[in-house]
Amino acid sequence: MIILAAFFATMSSFAFIMMWADKRQAQARGPRIPEKRLWLVAAIGGGIGAYLGMMLFRHKTKHTNFRIGFFALAIIQAGLLVWLALE
């Protein structure tokens, strides 16, 4: 349980930083982080950080698939952590 929680925390932190960096690059018209990479990090454990980063930095919020997908991943991953904590 602790290892999985640490993994989710690490991946969420990484996803959060990726959303911040991609937002900065978008504003500066610099090289962007590919959407596939954002989705990959969110899917393998960074859903919570990706969703929080998206909302805090207002990045990708006009894309329905990001709003719904990152929210769903965050709920699933948080639910998994709660379920494992109650076991």
Side-chain angles (χ1 to χ4, degrees):
M1 168 59 194
I2 293 173
I3 293 171
L4 185 63
F7 177 75
F8 278 178
T10 301
M11 294 308 296
S12 286
S13 298
F14 188 57
F16 186 84
I17 292 167
M18 286 176 68
M19 293 300 284
W20 169 78
D22 194 47
K23 176 66 175 194
R24 289 196 55 185
Q25 289 296 80
Q27 291 171 330
R29 301 201 188 280
R32 304 284 301 278
I33 297 172
E35 289 183 355
K36 286 182 181 180
R37 195 163 301 150
L38 294 172
W39 277 109
L40 175 66
V41 172
I44 63 172
I48 297 168
Y51 181 74
L52 292 174
M54 180 183 67
M55 299 310 288
L56 181 67
F57 306 123
R58 289 195 258 171
H59 187 52
K60 303 277 188 197
T61 55
K62 291 184 180 178
H63 299 267
T64 304
N65 60 336
F66 277 90
R67 277 196 336 265
I68 294 171
F70 282 179
F71 180 72
L73 286 171
I75 293 297
I76 291 166
Q77 292 167 9
L80 180 61
L81 285 172
V82 169
W83 180 68
L84 290 172
L86 297 175
E87 287 281 315

